Amino acid sequence: MDEIRLIIASDSVGETAELVTKACTSQFNQLGKALEIIRLPYIETDENVDEVIAVAKEQQSIVIYTLVKPKIRKYMKEQLDLYNLDHVDIMGPLMTILTEQLNESPLNEPGMVHKLDEDYFKKIEAIEFAVKYDDGRDPRGLPKADIVLLGVSRTSKTPLSQYLAHKRFKVMNVPLVPEVDPPETLFEIDPAKCIALKIDPNKLNAIRKERLVQLGLNDDASYAQDQRILAELEYFETIVSRIGCPVIDVSNKAIEETANEIIKIVTANKSFKL
């Protein structure tokens, strides 16, 4: 059989059109080596379209295209019809239907799928980061973090880290315990990305007692005693004063509320880039 030549023309990299094309061609056993696929990316001007048409005319190719800008898409269709070239517009018909049904103009921005993919992978990377550097287990994460949360035990550092990770922030949390010196790196990084989580001692006492009960332990353990809590909070104030970072009182705040405050603080820092 004669060779079937296909041209993938796209205003982005052309992966979407190629995937659809290969899904279709895989249904035909006869094609095999008789199939040639050429991808022509970044078709953004009339001149680019003319180049596609020239190649298609010379090789008598079928043109499969994904062009989101209406003017370029229209010009492509006109030229393909003019030279009687077989073609498939993958995106145009559906975009027209959606425009009519939604009564909304499309963004007409090439490469949006890849932007969405990039956001997704950034989120996954941030979630993995939060898990890897949870509870201050590796100080090497401090320079890499977008946000560093500081606080005594039971101030919601871990759930906050995970919540912020879903917003694509790389978060490390560091527990402050009187018996354990924090890593020296903590005092060397930009204090603007450190957030200290303050809590009322009575509130903390109640939270810790509840936690001990959940673990099947007596709620009178030193972990929940007033003297121990006050000592931890005093140590917390010492470290925070040394760093000079912003402080948020989480005593009566939901995770979402605290997270929003944190985001406002770190994004207000002009050196911060997400």
Side-chain angles (χ1 to χ4, degrees):
M1 65 173 292
D2 294 334
E3 187 175 43
I4 301 293
R5 296 183 177 89
L6 304 176
I7 292 177
I8 308 294
S10 172
D11 46 21
S12 184
V13 293
E15 286 183 354
T16 301
E18 185 167 355
L19 284 171
V20 173
T21 300
K22 287 183 176 179
C24 293
T25 57
S26 67
Q27 299 298 314
F28 296 89
N29 292 325
Q30 294 184 55
L31 285 175
K33 294 182 179 179
L35 175 67
E36 179 185 5
I37 298 177
I38 300 173
R39 192 197 297 187
L40 301 178
Y42 305 114
I43 307 302
E44 300 173 328
T45 65
D46 289 355
E47 289 75 16
N48 295 150
V49 171
D50 291 339
E51 292 170 3
V52 173
I53 299 300
V55 175
K57 284 168 55 183
E58 181 182 347
Q59 300 184 353
Q60 283 301 298
S61 302
I62 301 169
V63 178
I64 300 95
Y65 59 98
T66 52
L67 303 171
V68 299
K69 294 182 178 179
K71 289 183 179 179
I72 300 298
R73 190 166 67 244
K74 181 174 181 291
Y75 183 68
M76 174 71 85
K77 178 72 165 60
E78 290 172 348
Q79 296 303 302
L80 290 165
D81 289 341
L82 178 63
Y83 294 101
N84 197 30
L85 294 166
D86 289 330
H87 58 274
V88 180
D89 178 1
I90 291 179
M91 297 182 67
L94 179 55
M95 288 179 68
T96 300
I97 293 172
L98 291 174
T99 298
E100 292 173 353
Q101 293 199 4
L102 298 173
N103 193 27
E104 176 187 350
S105 297
L107 297 173
N108 295 327
E109 293 182 16
M112 289 301 294
V113 170
H114 299 287
K115 290 179 182 177
L116 292 173
D117 287 345
E118 185 179 352
D119 284 344
Y120 172 77
F121 287 117
K122 280 185 177 180
K123 181 189 294 186
I124 297 301
E125 185 181 3
I127 292 171
E128 291 176 346
F129 186 94
V131 172
K132 181 177 181 179
Y133 296 107
D134 183 43
D135 212 25
R137 62 183 61 160
D138 187 348
R140 290 176 296 181
L142 288 167
K144 306 173 188 176
D146 297 322
I147 301 171
V148 177
L149 301 179
L150 311 170
V152 300
S153 175
R154 311 312 297 174
T155 49
S156 300
K157 296 186 300 299
T158 294
L160 271 170
S161 297
Q162 287 296 325
Y163 184 93
L164 290 165
H166 280 82
K167 302 291 185 181
R168 296 183 290 117
F169 292 92
K170 292 181 180 178
V171 186
M172 178 172 179
N173 68 77
V174 179
L176 298 181
V177 185
E179 292 79 12
V180 181
D181 292 333
E184 279 302 315
T185 313
L186 182 61
F187 305 103
E188 299 169 358
I189 61 173
D190 183 0
K193 71 177 183 179
C194 296
I195 304 291
L197 306 176
K198 181 181 179 180
I199 190 169
D200 176 78
N202 294 325
K203 179 73 173 180
L204 182 58
N205 179 279
I207 292 173
R208 288 190 174 183
K209 283 185 175 181
E210 183 178 347
R211 178 59 175 164
L212 288 170
V213 171
Q214 291 173 352
L215 294 173
L217 304 173
N218 293 326
D219 64 4
D220 60 352
S222 61
Y223 176 70
Q225 289 181 358
D226 291 338
Q227 186 176 357
R228 172 63 188 184
I229 287 174
L230 291 174
E232 288 189 31
L233 293 177
E234 183 178 349
Y235 180 71
F236 164 85
E237 293 289 350
T238 300
I239 298 299
V240 171
S241 296
R242 182 178 169 188
I243 296 172
C245 63
V247 179
I248 295 178
D249 191 331
V250 300
S251 302
N252 298 299
K253 286 187 174 70
I255 297 293
E256 296 85 351
E257 188 179 358
T258 303
N260 287 335
E261 282 195 37
I262 292 171
I263 292 171
K264 285 180 182 178
I265 291 171
V266 296
T267 53
N269 177 18
K270 293 182 180 179
S271 65
F272 178 83
K273 292 182 180 180
L274 181 58

